[in-house]
Amino acid sequence: MTLLRRRARRGQGDDVRDDPLDAAQERRVRAVLALGGVPQSDLPDGVQQVRLRLLERTASGREAPRDVSAWAAVVASNLAMDWHRARRRQDRLGERLAALRQTEHPGDEDASVLSLAVAQGLDELPDAQRQVLVLRFYADLPVRGIAEELGIPEGTVKSRLHTAVRALRARLHEDEVV
């Protein structure tokens, strides 16, 4: 009988000190993720996602899965597919941005210096902030479009944009470009 079922019967389902996945189940989840093409560096996050979904399921009052190991493997498989979808979405966005960059032709030396400084500043931003900044100001997508494309709330897009613009502005002032 699984640890989760024992906890549920004892009424200790809220105790987060107990791991809902035993070592064998965790190895199986890692194997499913790895075979699904998820990079080694992302495997710990995938295992945590499976744990989280199992804990959320229990916390919501739904019955524990009959076979936690099988359920966890299916969830891991779905996570691997989600990872690939996200990767494809990123690749498509990168292609769109590359096409936009090819059409740009800086006119004078000041524009070239500014463009180089902005590019360096963008490289220093966290991926999530850089992504929304580029989509908003280079791809000219509205906040709603960015949220839909990335599958995140509009408020998150706005927050990331605000933080990214503030950081980029500070970087440009620090380098005395603007």
Side-chain angles (χ1 to χ4, degrees):
M1 187 177 291
T2 66
L3 175 64
L4 191 60
R5 285 180 185 244
R6 285 193 302 257
R7 279 191 311 173
R9 285 193 180 135
R10 288 185 300 198
Q12 296 175 348
D14 295 331
D15 190 358
V16 293
R17 292 175 290 168
D18 293 330
D19 192 347
L21 295 177
D22 64 26
Q25 292 164 339
E26 182 176 335
R27 283 192 302 274
R28 185 174 185 186
V29 166
R30 282 180 177 277
V32 169
L33 290 169
L35 290 171
V38 176
Q40 289 289 328
S41 60
D42 291 341
L43 292 181
D45 290 337
V47 172
Q48 287 299 88
Q49 282 292 322
V50 172
R51 279 191 179 102
L52 178 64
R53 290 185 185 179
L54 186 56
L55 290 171
E56 286 173 341
R57 179 184 175 110
T58 304
S60 69
R62 289 185 285 171
E63 184 179 323
R66 291 178 200 248
D67 184 354
V68 174
S69 184
W71 181 89
V74 169
V75 171
S77 176
N78 290 338
L79 286 173
M81 286 190 292
D82 291 345
W83 185 87
H84 284 290
R85 285 185 194 115
R87 175 63 67 192
R88 272 188 253 127
R89 185 171 42 235
Q90 290 287 88
D91 290 345
R92 284 194 312 269
L93 292 174
E95 290 168 4
R96 287 169 58 189
L97 290 174
L100 287 172
R101 285 184 182 162
Q102 290 174 354
T103 61
E104 295 176 3
H105 301 289
D108 59 291
E109 188 175 315
D110 289 338
S112 296
V113 169
L114 181 60
S115 294
L116 181 60
V118 169
Q120 289 172 341
L122 283 171
D123 286 342
E124 294 174 2
L125 290 174
D127 292 339
Q129 290 177 9
R130 182 181 333 106
Q131 182 181 42
V132 296
L133 193 74
V134 168
L135 291 174
R136 178 66 187 108
F137 296 108
Y138 284 83
D140 200 29
L141 291 176
V143 170
R144 175 173 281 156
I146 295 169
E148 289 172 0
E149 188 70 31
L150 299 178
I152 59 176
E154 289 183 42
T156 302
V157 173
K158 291 176 185 178
S159 172
R160 288 179 185 172
L161 275 172
H162 174 78
T163 305
V165 167
R166 191 174 65 214
L168 187 57
R169 184 179 294 132
R171 162 83 168 147
L172 294 176
H173 283 294
E174 183 179 294
D175 290 346
E176 297 179 357
V177 176
V178 290

